[in-house]
Amino acid sequence: MPAVSKGDGMRGLAVFISDIRNCKSKEAEIKRINKELANIRSKFKGDKALDGYSKKKYVCKLLFIFLLGHDIDFGHMEAVNLLSSNKYTEKQIGYLFISVLVNSNSELIRLINNAIKNDLSSRNPTFMCLALHCIANVGSREMAEAFASEIPRILVAGDTMDSVKQSAALCLLRLYKTSPDLVLMGEWTSRVVHLLNDQHMGVVTAAISLITCLSQKNPDEFKTCVSLAVSRLSRIVSSASTDLQDYTYYFVPAPWLSCKLLRLLQCYPPPEDGAVKGRLVECLETILNKAQEPPKSKKVQHSNAKNAILFEAISLIIHYDSEPNLLVRACNQLGQFLQHRETNLRYLALESMCTLASSEFSHEAVKTHIETVINALKTERDVSVRQRAADLLYAMCDRSNAKQIVAEMLSYLETADYSIREEMVLKVAILAEKYAVDYSWYVDTILNLIRIAGDYVSEEVWYRVIQIVINRDDVQGYAAKTVFEALQAPACHENMVKVGGYILGEFGNLIAGDPRSSPLVQFNLLHSKFHLCSVPTRALLLSAYIKFINLFPETKATIQEVLRCDSQIRNSDVELQQRAVEYLKLSSIASTDVLATVLEEMPPFPERESSILAKLKKKKGPGAVSVTELEDSKREGGELNGGGDRGPDTSAMAASNASTPSPSADLLGIRSAAPIGAAPTSAGSLLVDVFSEAGPTAPSAAVNDDGFLRFVCKNNGVLFENQLLQIGIKSEYRQNLGRMYLFYGNKTSVQFASFTTTMVLDNQPQLNVQTKPVEPLVEGGAQIQQVLNIECLTDFSDAPLLNIKFRYGGALQNLTLKLPVTINKFFQPTEMSSHDFFQRWKQLSQPQQEAQKIFKANHSMDTEVLKAKLLGLGSALLDNVDPNPENYVCAGVIQTKGQQVGCLLRLEPNAQAQMYRLTLRCSKDSVSRRLCELLAEQF
């Protein structure tokens, strides 16, 4: 930039600023400003033409006055005239005034655009930069229309100076964000991408910001940037701090550029080219290794730069979710930050580990830090860090640690900040339902939840516990006894009264045999809370009273007396008055049989998912349930499926409104016994017939099976992705039944029309698949969900196909995917001793029952990774069974409707030769062969 000469000091401006600062009052300041404005106006209107210096000085004074908060309604034309000056300082002030004061709808825009065009074509780098800065600062649509085609040419021109390229890249980024439809790269795409190879690091840093933004909207056009980004990242990561002296920040080479490169790579799936992928993995490993090195400086700037790169690298590792070693190492590195003295690092570590907990490969590694996370929940001073700790406990929860985590979250609830209590309550309710194998524990947990944080227990929570109690005979007596005891507390929350009124009204007879909980004692206990409750709760209690008359005739006189009193039949609330009158009349004139019919026990609720999870995600805010966050669902399904998400209605203890299915709730009715009184299913299918049937049609598109093998040993993730559509999958299986959720995400800003999906099951009588139709319109950026119910009738080898058709921009899109439904999904794990295993192994000794394959290792032979994949297979991984401790053995039974197929597996790794020998013995030969084919591709 040209130096400012001594004569450009603008003494008059300095005097004016000094006068303003010396003003003793606001009135004095306004008086001085008005005087100056009058002077400037007279100078601009005077007959004497002003020279460039004077114009610059007066325009600068106007700019200063504007920045003080005063309106400026003149001087714009003089500022535009300064743009034609050949002096840098005059042109600079003109552009500065325009950038700050000129409205994008101003009539002067055309004049300004002409001046900018002249400067852009002048080839003077200083003037070009000023013009580009002005375009970026104003950023109006008019400027985008005028210069969107010119700036890319300047950006890629061979004779453009580096400083101008930097300004051009950032200017183009600004225009793209304000008017994306006007910035069309077209022929410039490949040349813009190749700016990543530019020798000037500043150009690369500016260009990568532009490319990242463009890649998010048009990933296919810019996919060649991946290999260039990996190459540039590799050079930076492997360089010493002295190699890039001009771009080294506190001993960290080019930290901002490194972060931008890692962020760009997160716009794409893992590279398909093996060499590029290997180089990227090396870069990530180097970043993780450097994190372990002693710091080269004690300055906070050094650690900030180093950690910024580390966290971006971990985000990329999580995004790929395909490198088990890196995932586990990332988890271990984050674990070290959990006890760091810096609060921000602890927060970021907890946040990143929440995402890691969803990965099949790193979930177990995350669980090892449970004590540290619990301690953070109890001792952290910052509420936002405590909230992240609660989120991580929720994410790492599974069947093995559910009781411990729920207990800790309940304990924390007593002292938790009010801002996060409602969310904590929802999480505790979800975990208690999802992982409860003991219904009494579930009931205890929810009642304890109401006791501790009753004000934050939403209707969905207490509705749900009632639904589950109604649908489970074995817990009804215990629930009645427990809620009766809870109601005896002197201070009892109103939600507890609601639950108590409902459960005792339905199942109070189950504890009436005990004199301490006789019918009259139950009634008096409930009625003692009546006058302290709100109108809706009183209405529910009145319904419970009339139920008592049916269950316990001996309480009839007492309850009728209560209903007959003036406070009930003449109540100012119409609802309470009507109930009291109607219930009193019903109990007086109806016969015992009629009363028993009208007030019979509530039937089981129909099987639907819980609405608690939907409420939690709604509380998290818009966009919380994206396809890429499917991994947030847990690996193990709960044992509870208490029925529909319908709340009890206070008028007849009926249900209220059904909820929308949620992917992370209990997925199947198969997790629990069929509801009592449920309608019988058809002979041809064990699945509940609630979905419409669609006849399969042969797809015309080629079958895409790229993601098929990735899901043999896992159930959740992204099945397919291109520039238009992302398809996520979440599935759960039990015995011979399965349910699959498919999530279709529109990645564009344009609506998908005529969106249809068709299941193709040609020549596959082994599977019965029921599908729910999808919405025909998918808005831009939106996501829709489809549910598939799957029943395995007998063993199979071919997976079902899903044909997807929709119109995008008038063009018909046709896609056929192979769904990851494989025979091992119907595994039930079987625990065996060493003796039993080899005895059964010998029994399966017929040649056709064995399938064996020796093959070279395709992936890392890491022990933890192998165990994770074998567990993901679905069979039981047996410890201390094989005489060779290096070998792995598994046992399980494949459940089909027609038969059960016992399977034994033995995997013998040879680390030195990087080879495996896989042997399977099954009671059915076709199963042995199919499992051997599938598993050989996983190791």
Side-chain angles (χ1 to χ4, degrees):
M1 182 181 293
V4 178
S5 64
K6 189 174 181 180
D8 288 333
M10 291 188 289
R11 184 173 177 276
L13 174 65
V15 171
F16 174 62
I17 293 174
S18 178
D19 290 348
I20 293 295
R21 288 177 176 173
N22 292 330
C23 290
K24 303 297 184 182
S25 64
K26 185 70 176 175
E27 290 75 15
E29 178 184 310
I30 294 173
K31 184 177 179 181
R32 178 68 181 90
I33 287 173
N34 288 337
K35 179 182 176 181
E36 190 64 37
L37 286 174
N39 177 53
I40 296 172
R41 198 187 299 270
S42 65
K43 294 291 184 183
F44 284 168
K45 289 184 177 180
D47 297 334
K48 186 179 178 181
L50 296 176
D51 59 11
Y53 170 80
S54 299
K55 282 183 184 178
K56 177 186 70 172
K57 179 177 66 174
Y58 293 133
V59 166
C60 212
K61 285 183 179 181
L62 290 176
L63 183 59
F64 179 73
I65 293 170
F66 175 78
L67 295 178
L68 288 176
H70 301 272
D71 292 333
I72 299 297
D73 57 0
F74 69 98
H76 298 77
M77 182 57 74
E78 284 71 18
V80 172
N81 291 337
L82 285 175
L83 300 184
S84 58
S85 172
N86 288 323
K87 286 189 176 182
Y88 169 78
T89 54
E90 294 175 7
K91 192 181 288 287
Q92 179 196 33
I93 295 300
Y95 275 124
L96 181 60
F97 186 94
I98 288 164
S99 297
V100 175
L101 274 90
V102 173
N103 189 287
S104 60
N105 298 321
S106 171
E107 297 175 356
L108 298 173
I109 284 291
R110 183 170 296 177
L111 292 174
I112 295 169
N113 284 353
N114 288 334
I116 290 174
K117 283 182 180 177
N118 291 334
D119 283 338
L120 290 179
S121 59
S122 69
R123 311 311 295 171
N124 182 319
T126 306
F127 292 173
M128 291 176 75
C129 285
L130 286 174
L132 290 168
H133 296 168
C134 181
I135 296 171
N137 286 328
V138 176
S140 66
R141 189 169 181 85
E142 291 77 9
M143 284 195 170
E145 289 173 348
F147 303 111
S149 59
E150 174 70 11
I151 297 174
R153 184 188 60 76
I154 296 173
L155 177 61
V156 301
D159 57 346
T160 303
M161 291 186 64
D162 293 333
S163 59
V164 179
K165 285 184 180 180
Q166 288 177 258
S167 299
L170 296 176
C171 179
L172 199 58
L173 174 61
R174 161 72 168 160
L175 294 182
Y176 184 77
K177 287 182 176 179
T178 56
S179 306
D181 56 314
L182 297 178
V183 181
L184 305 174
M185 300 307 295
E187 59 184 299
W188 310 111
T189 299
S190 61
R191 298 175 70 181
V192 169
V193 169
H194 276 83
L195 288 174
L196 293 177
N197 274 337
D198 198 278
Q199 296 297 316
H200 194 277
M201 298 286 277
V203 173
V204 179
T205 305
I208 199 169
S209 298
L210 173 63
I211 294 168
T212 300
C213 187
L214 294 170
S215 298
Q216 290 169 349
K217 296 290 181 67
N218 307 291
D220 275 1
E221 287 185 32
F222 292 88
K223 62 184 178 182
T224 54
C225 72
V226 173
S227 58
L228 297 177
V230 171
S231 176
R232 174 64 78 169
L233 180 65
S234 177
R235 294 202 295 273
I236 295 173
V237 169
S238 60
S239 66
S241 57
T242 54
D243 296 341
L244 299 168
Q245 288 185 356
D246 292 341
Y247 291 90
T248 296
Y249 179 80
Y250 288 87
F251 303 100
V252 181
W256 285 276
L257 179 55
S258 299
C259 289
K260 287 176 179 286
L261 287 166
L262 290 164
R263 206 166 292 156
L264 171 60
L265 292 171
Q266 291 174 49
C267 298
Y268 291 91
E272 297 177 358
D273 188 318
V276 175
K277 185 175 182 180
R279 194 171 184 184
L280 177 57
V281 169
E282 286 179 13
C283 290
L284 296 173
E285 287 177 342
T286 304
I287 293 171
L288 292 175
N289 291 337
K290 285 185 175 181
Q292 299 291 338
E293 296 174 359
K296 296 179 180 178
S297 170
K298 293 183 179 180
K299 299 273 187 174
V300 68
Q301 292 92 335
H302 172 74
S303 59
N304 284 347
K306 191 175 175 181
N307 292 330
I309 297 172
L310 175 63
F311 276 102
E312 283 299 338
I314 290 174
S315 296
L316 180 60
I317 292 169
I318 294 170
H319 170 73
Y320 284 167
D321 194 22
S322 61
E323 296 294 331
N325 284 334
L326 291 178
L327 285 164
V328 173
R329 286 194 61 189
C331 179
N332 294 336
Q333 180 63 50
L334 292 172
Q336 296 177 20
F337 287 143
L338 292 180
Q339 294 178 314
H340 199 279
R341 60 186 177 84
E342 182 63 44
T343 304
N344 289 337
L345 276 182
R346 296 197 300 274
Y347 178 92
L348 291 171
L350 289 166
E351 189 175 48
S352 297
M353 287 184 83
C354 283
T355 315
L356 273 176
S358 66
S359 171
E360 300 283 344
F361 303 112
S362 55
H363 181 74
E364 292 299 322
V366 172
K367 283 167 56 180
T368 61
H369 301 286
I370 185 171
E371 296 299 334
T372 307
V373 179
I374 289 172
N375 185 58
L377 186 67
K378 294 176 179 177
T379 60
E380 278 288 349
R381 293 183 179 181
D382 192 312
V383 62
S384 61
V385 181
R386 292 198 297 274
Q387 186 165 3
R388 292 289 82 78
D391 291 343
L392 179 53
L393 283 176
Y394 175 76
M396 70 166 62
C397 188
D398 59 21
R399 196 181 310 284
S400 65
N401 56 20
K403 288 193 175 182
Q404 179 189 5
I405 287 178
V406 168
E408 292 293 347
M409 293 177 84
L410 279 173
S411 174
Y412 173 65
L413 255 178
E414 299 192 33
T415 56
D417 297 82
Y418 295 112
S419 59
I420 65 173
R421 283 196 180 186
E422 184 179 359
E423 186 178 319
M424 289 283 292
V425 166
L426 292 173
K427 287 177 176 177
V428 170
I430 291 166
L431 295 179
E433 177 183 346
K434 190 172 185 63
Y435 296 114
V437 291
D438 179 357
Y439 291 96
S440 58
W441 174 76
Y442 171 72
V443 171
D444 286 340
T445 300
I446 299 301
L447 295 184
N448 203 15
L449 194 62
I450 295 173
R451 180 186 64 78
I452 293 171
D455 289 338
Y456 300 90
V457 175
S458 60
E459 289 184 337
E460 287 86 355
V461 175
W462 72 267
Y463 284 176
R464 188 63 174 160
V465 70
I466 286 172
Q467 292 159 13
I468 289 172
V469 169
I470 286 176
N471 283 31
R472 303 293 306 189
D473 283 349
D474 53 344
V475 78
Q476 290 165 358
Y478 180 82
K481 178 177 179 294
T482 306
V483 79
F484 175 78
E485 293 171 352
L487 286 172
Q488 294 179 25
C492 190
H493 195 274
E494 189 168 331
N495 280 335
M496 187 72 79
V497 178
K498 292 176 181 177
V499 175
Y502 199 107
I503 290 180
L504 292 180
E506 292 291 331
F507 310 114
N509 59 308
L510 300 178
I511 60 170
D514 188 335
R516 292 171 295 180
S517 55
S518 63
L520 205 53
V521 172
Q522 291 183 42
F523 169 72
N524 288 332
L525 179 61
L526 282 177
H527 195 55
S528 67
K529 315 290 182 185
F530 186 88
H531 303 288
L532 303 173
C533 297
S534 62
V535 169
T537 305
R538 291 185 187 184
L540 187 147
L541 289 177
L542 289 177
S543 297
Y545 296 169
I546 191 67
K547 289 257 183 175
F548 267 44
I549 293 177
N550 179 48
L551 290 175
F552 316 116
E554 63 269 29
T555 63
K556 181 175 181 179
T558 306
I559 293 174
Q560 283 182 333
E561 190 64 31
V562 169
L563 295 174
R564 196 177 287 117
C565 68
D566 286 351
S567 62
Q568 304 301 338
I569 60 175
R570 295 182 181 178
N571 196 293
S572 58
D573 186 87
V574 177
E575 176 69 19
L576 293 180
Q577 183 187 115
Q578 182 177 354
R579 288 190 186 219
V581 171
E582 290 179 356
Y583 290 162
L584 179 62
K585 202 69 175 174
L586 177 65
S587 65
S588 302
I589 65 173
S591 65
T592 306
D593 291 340
V594 171
L595 201 62
T597 303
V598 174
L599 302 173
E600 66 179 347
E601 188 176 301
M602 282 291 294
F605 288 86
E607 297 294 343
R608 291 194 182 98
E609 283 86 17
S610 169
S611 64
I612 302 175
L613 191 68
K615 183 175 178 66
L616 173 64
K617 289 177 176 174
K618 183 179 179 182
K619 184 170 178 60
K620 282 288 188 182
V625 194
S626 67
V627 174
T628 54
E629 292 177 325
L630 287 176
E631 303 296 329
D632 187 57
S633 53
K634 304 292 181 289
R635 270 144 216 81
E636 302 174 58
E639 290 296 334
L640 293 179
N641 191 354
D645 277 332
R646 305 187 304 166
D649 178 38
T650 51
S651 63
M653 303 266 186
S656 64
N657 55 338
S659 71
T660 304
S662 167
S664 297
D666 185 9
L667 297 178
L668 291 171
I670 60 177
R671 283 287 181 201
S672 63
I676 302 163
T681 57
S682 65
S685 172
L686 294 180
L687 302 174
V688 182
D689 185 18
V690 294
F691 303 119
S692 62
E693 296 180 1
T697 59
S700 58
V703 177
N704 185 308
D705 60 356
D706 293 345
F708 177 77
L709 290 174
R710 290 189 289 110
F711 287 86
V712 172
C713 293
K714 69 175 186 176
N715 292 331
N716 312 322
V718 177
L719 177 63
F720 172 81
E721 184 171 13
N722 63 10
Q723 70 272 25
L724 303 179
L725 180 68
Q726 184 185 57
I727 302 176
I729 186 172
K730 184 197 183 313
S731 52
E732 187 174 26
Y733 298 85
R734 183 172 176 82
Q735 297 182 359
N736 70 314
L737 301 179
R739 174 168 286 186
M740 181 179 290
Y741 281 88
L742 292 172
F743 298 84
Y744 306 100
N746 183 346
K747 295 174 62 178
T748 72
S749 57
V750 180
Q751 182 188 70
F752 290 168
S754 305
F755 193 95
T756 59
T757 63
T758 307
M759 187 61 58
V760 181
L761 287 167
D762 290 343
N763 303 319
Q764 280 186 288
Q766 304 96 330
L767 287 175
N768 178 25
V769 181
Q770 293 178 349
T771 62
K772 184 178 181 180
V774 293
E775 295 293 330
L777 296 178
V778 186
E779 298 296 334
Q783 173 189 305
I784 60 172
Q785 171 184 298
Q786 183 178 30
V787 184
L788 277 63
N789 282 344
I790 305 161
E791 182 181 17
C792 180
L793 306 177
T794 183
D795 65 283
F796 62 95
S797 58
D798 295 329
L801 303 178
L802 182 70
N803 181 238
I804 303 163
K805 293 181 181 178
F806 60 93
R807 290 195 174 275
Y808 169 72
L812 179 64
Q813 307 291 324
N814 192 357
L815 172 70
T816 301
L817 298 176
K818 183 184 287 190
L819 290 179
V821 181
T822 50
I823 188 65
N824 64 289
K825 300 297 183 185
F826 302 97
F827 251 132
Q828 292 296 301
T830 304
E831 296 292 338
M832 285 186 177
S833 66
S834 178
H835 176 267
D836 292 339
F837 179 86
F838 285 106
Q839 184 180 19
R840 181 61 177 153
W841 184 267
K842 291 175 183 176
Q843 291 172 355
L844 298 171
S845 58
Q846 296 181 22
Q848 66 271 24
Q849 292 178 325
E850 180 178 289
Q852 187 176 88
K853 190 168 185 179
I854 299 173
F855 55 94
K856 191 167 183 63
N858 298 316
H859 306 285
S860 167
M861 298 184 77
D862 183 82
T863 302
E864 294 303 319
V865 175
L866 290 176
K867 287 183 178 179
K869 288 186 176 181
L870 289 171
L871 288 171
L873 176 66
S875 57
L877 181 59
L878 306 179
D879 295 326
N880 303 319
V881 170
D882 198 290
N884 183 350
E886 300 297 323
N887 294 346
Y888 301 90
V889 292
C890 300
V893 176
I894 289 178
Q895 303 276 354
T896 70
K897 183 181 180 183
Q899 67 178 132
Q900 296 182 339
V901 182
C903 300
L904 302 178
L905 177 150
R906 193 177 188 189
L907 181 66
E908 301 168 85
N910 184 337
Q912 185 174 359
Q914 289 289 298
M915 301 282 287
Y916 289 102
R917 179 165 66 184
L918 174 66
T919 309
L920 279 136
R921 290 189 180 182
C922 303
S923 55
K924 195 167 184 182
D925 55 350
S926 57
V927 175
S928 301
R929 292 193 300 272
R930 181 56 179 157
L931 284 176
C932 193
E933 292 169 4
L934 288 171
L935 293 180
E937 301 293 332
Q938 301 301 310
F939 301 107

